[in-house]
Amino acid sequence: MQRPYNFSAGPAAMPEEVLTQAADEMLNWPDASGQRCGMGVMEMSHRGKEFQSIYEAAEADLRELLAVPANFKILFMQGGGLAENAIVPLNLSAQRAPAGEQGTADFVVTGSWSDKSLKEAAKYCHTKAVATGKPEGFTHIPDAATWQLSPNASYVHLCTNETINGVEFHALPDLKALGSHAELVIDFSSHVASRPVDWSKVGLAFGGAQKNLGPAGVTVVIVREDLLGHALPVCPSAFDYKTVADNGSMFNTPPTFAIYMAGLVFKWLKRQGGVAAMEARNIAKAELLYAAIDGSSLYFNKVSPACRSRMNVPFFLRNEALNDDFLAGAKAAGLLQLKGHKSVGGMRASIYNAMPLEGVQALVQYLQEFERTHG
Ligand SMILES: *Cc1c(COP(=O)(O)O)cnc(C)c1O
């Protein structure tokens, strides 16, 4: 029996092959040679050789997939993207602060997530919204030439894919060319591994795993080495990037099972041809879905075409009275979790790496059928 297609924004659909493998290994994990060890991954010491091998493979595979340069550390942390909204300023805001003064962080506010990041950082440093898409309802990215960057900011924060508003940066800004000496920090929670990252422009990237990398419970942080070691004195030890890095993400017990599951996803991504191959598929999926929405007279998407997300596609029915019927019919057709975020309303289809083209084709077919019978 075929499983339904799950369009959840997160926690989101996992590749079926990964779930099947994890089920097979649940009670008795086999090493790379197939030798079973008598324990499930949840039951292993994080310091034992079995888990160490899982950890090392996960780190190496992620480094290879995202082409992370050798001078960046990959950390597996807890707390999710929201905790990083505090952990980043706790670690980075003092970088360029005058002695004895609070540092400054700049924020480009392109949707709900970057807005949250700014508010949280304000507990730890000076903050500035250097541009905002709020007046237009978060439907575009303000042109970088108009950003009012602070002369002394320690970092500039972007949410490179706004999961709720469906706005994505298709290129990273070059801060130096814009006259800023700040580091670029990106929240890539909802499009990590869906496209390559230009590390020459980035100081730090963070993302919760539960959209595109695995289950909830592990947060990936990728940070350039020279940014470590400047945490504010009040920063909790378990959240000091240098402490975490110096201990190979084992300062305290890491989320072992979530790391193992993410590691299986990394192996799956490599079998799919890696991030470049995923990007090509993600472009094809997104083009198909946006074309169906734009070509209809019942559905519409508000985001400016130049910054539409390939991962999260919010759309609306012109007749909102049909929303419940639309969702009930979708569920009956095996298309789950299409309801939009409560702050935006309407519908949202999240089409992460684990969503096959066939799932988007099935959704498009349903959109057209529903329009034909209700339009
Ligand atoms: C989901 C999400 C978060 C929040 O992640 P949590 O794990 O719930 O803390 C942060 N940023 C973005 C862009 C997200 O999509």
Side-chain angles (χ1 to χ4, degrees), residues 139-140 166 168 170 290 294 301-309:
T139 53
H140 78 301
E168 182 170 10
H170 292 297
Y290 283 113
D294 290 344
N301 167 283
K302 301 180 189 174
V303 179
S304 147
C307 58
R308 284 174 167 181
S309 171

Side-chain angles (χ1 to χ4, degrees), residues 309-324:
S309 171
R310 295 174 186 161
M311 297 281 100
N312 308 99
V313 182
F315 61 95
F316 299 84
L317 275 62
R318 290 190 198 278
N319 178 0
E320 298 247 293
L322 293 174
N323 282 358
D324 289 346

Side-chain angles (χ1 to χ4, degrees), residues 85-94 124 155 230-236 239:
N85 285 345
I87 298 169
V88 170
L90 280 164
N91 279 274
L92 298 193
S93 66
Y124 305 103
Y155 66 93
H230 303 276
L232 302 180
V234 73
C235 180
F239 290 159

Side-chain angles (χ1 to χ4, degrees), residues 79-83 113 159 161-163 187-190 206 208 210-211:
L82 283 190
W113 287 113
C159 176
N161 185 60
E162 289 279 2
T163 321
D187 173 357
F188 66 175
S189 295
S190 54
F206 70 83
Q210 70 269 28
K211 278 105 187 197

Side-chain angles (χ1 to χ4, degrees), residues 5-9 11 327 335-339 348-350:
Y5 293 113
N6 178 357
F7 295 89
S8 173
L327 288 167
L335 308 169
L336 306 183
Q337 308 207 68
L338 283 163
K339 194 176 163 113
R348 174 174 48 172
S350 295

